[in-house]
Amino acid sequence: MGDGRIGLALQGGGAYAAFTAGVLSALIRPEGPIPPGRIHAVTGTSGGALNAALLARAIHDGIAPDTYLDAFWRLNRMEDLLRERYHALRFVPDEALGLLIGLHRHLEALGVPKAMPMSHFRGVALDMIRDLAAAAAPTLVEDPDAAALPARRPFVTVAATEVHSGLAHLFSNDPRTRRLLDTPDGRDRTHTLSARAVLASMAHPMVFDAVRIGDGAYWDGYYTRNPPLTPLLRQGCTDIVLVRLVAPDGDTVPESDGPIRQRVEEIVQNTTLSLELDACRTANGGPPFRLHEIRLTNTGNLSDAAYPLAEFVERLGELGRRAVADDDGFAGHWRANENTNELLTTADFANGGIGTGRGKATETGSTGITDALRHYLTRWWGSR
């Protein structure tokens, strides 16, 4: 599609970011829909920030774009995290751990106090993520406080929330972006991108300690900019591909505690994105742009994002690849598309359906990680 600059915007969503990794693996290929050389800039928040950094680091290192992405998501497994944290579980098989987590989630839904709250991982979880990233992409994490990427394209900008001010701070490997986006009041809200900044963008306060960089303390960027889009316009991108993990619409009015919390979380995450979209649509002085979207739907409970079970992650990654490569996936429409069209591809986690067009996605039902747990339970029961 055209010869303009292409930007990628990667929304955060915990373990659901495995879907984004699958999308990028199929989308950014030397002979694929978008060759690596066409990517001018990438933005991301939380898991999207890590995916952005892994993708760009591989391109800068001159290797296959999905090398570090695939390596990280093969390593990032809840079962292994539990074994690392609780030595008594070291020899428990994946399926049994899946059942344990399923029981924990069921009791949680019934209001029983958590036997295994995610706060148990505070102080070690971020170190685990850093170690996984270092194992997958050593050149990204060699020095957590040094520049994570050279100051050339593809440029990467990630968002984190500064705890004291409650404002979004951006971290980028593009000096020009840092100059353009800094605030006129003299408060420094743009910084050099480092591996620590990527971790800051992922630091959900219910699981991770705040990440300190300079004088600031940072939490997950999804509270404020998820993901940032305006940097892509500032960098002259004419086609932006947004990978969206949180569905914007709800079909019903929730009336019980769990569904209410779920919908509030969806609204919070999509409000930050809506503000970004409004800012882009009303911006003056920049080139016209087309916004394309690859959207994950029917994901179920957003809190599933905290539980990257192996089968859950693998299913998400495969669905992401299919969202690009299937007959009605993004790739075929991208190649055939006229320059005036914007694309919307939806990938339904519940039934695996893929569709591309201009229409509005439909969200029904609730599944998520429960499908993986149901699979574990069925296999375990059938073996009795």
Side-chain angles (χ1 to χ4, degrees), residues 96 210 272:
T272 63

Side-chain angles (χ1 to χ4, degrees), residues 81-94:
L81 188 150
L82 286 171
R83 293 186 187 102
E84 180 71 21
R85 180 63 173 161
Y86 301 103
H87 289 183
L89 301 177
R90 181 156 293 182
F91 300 105
V92 177
D94 285 357

Side-chain angles (χ1 to χ4, degrees), residues 16 19 44 60 74 96 101 104 109 132 199 240 265 273 300 332 381:
Y16 286 110
F19 171 81
H60 283 301
R74 283 197 306 271
I101 295 170
H104 164 70
L132 292 177
L199 295 174
I240 297 173
E265 184 76 6
L273 179 54
W381 189 261

Side-chain angles (χ1 to χ4, degrees), residues 10 18 52 101 145-146 149 162 201 262 274 278 290 292 339 346 363 371:
L10 312 180
I101 295 170
D145 298 304
L149 299 168
E162 206 286 312
S201 183
Q262 163 84 5
S274 296
D278 289 345
R290 292 168 294 274
H292 314 279
N339 287 343
T346 59
E363 284 97 32
D371 279 1

Side-chain angles (χ1 to χ4, degrees), residues 2-67:
D3 296 316
R5 293 178 172 180
I6 297 174
L8 306 175
L10 312 180
Q11 191 177 40
Y16 286 110
F19 171 81
T20 305
V23 167
L24 298 175
S25 178
L27 186 65
I28 315 301
R29 308 181 70 84
E31 305 300 326
I34 303 178
R38 292 290 311 283
I39 301 299
H40 183 76
V42 190
T43 63
T45 296
S46 197
L50 180 59
N51 282 336
L54 291 169
L55 173 72
R57 185 69 256 183
I59 294 174
H60 283 301
D61 289 349
I63 59 178
D66 61 350
T67 301

Side-chain angles (χ1 to χ4, degrees), residues 305-326:
Y307 298 87
L309 286 170
E311 188 166 339
F312 184 52
V313 167
E314 290 164 5
R315 183 179 168 191
L316 284 163
E318 178 59 26
L319 186 62
R321 288 185 285 272
R322 288 186 49 230
V324 174
D326 268 18

Side-chain angles (χ1 to χ4, degrees), residues 72-208:
F72 177 82
W73 287 102
R74 283 197 306 271
L75 293 170
N76 185 26
R77 296 289 191 267
M78 182 70 177
E79 294 91 336
D80 293 333
L81 188 150
L82 286 171
R83 293 186 187 102
E84 180 71 21
R85 180 63 173 161
Y86 301 103
H87 289 183
L89 301 177
R90 181 156 293 182
F91 300 105
V92 177
D94 285 357
E95 292 163 347
L97 286 175
L99 288 171
L100 176 64
I101 295 170
L103 176 62
H104 164 70
R105 300 297 308 283
H106 180 66
L107 294 174
E108 180 184 358
L110 295 176
V112 177
K114 292 184 179 182
M116 186 181 64
M118 294 306 292
S119 59
H120 281 190
F121 297 100
R122 184 181 303 280
V124 298
L126 212 58
D127 289 341
M128 290 181 177
I129 297 294
R130 182 200 61 208
D131 292 344
L132 292 177
T139 54
L140 180 67
V141 197
E142 284 176 332
D143 182 346
D145 298 304
L149 299 168
R152 63 177 187 269
R153 58 182 293 183
F155 299 111
V156 172
T157 301
V158 308
T161 303
E162 206 286 312
V163 178
H164 298 103
S165 66
L167 299 173
H169 283 214
L170 299 180
F171 300 81
S172 179
N173 68 323
D174 181 10
R176 181 171 178 271
T177 294
R178 297 199 297 271
R179 290 195 302 271
L180 286 172
L181 295 179
D182 227 341
T183 54
D185 59 10
R187 287 181 290 180
D188 185 16
R189 295 182 197 162
T190 58
H191 317 271
T192 299
L193 178 68
S194 64
R196 195 176 302 279
V198 174
L199 295 174
S201 183
M202 302 174 66
H204 192 293
M206 296 299 103
V207 184
F208 304 125

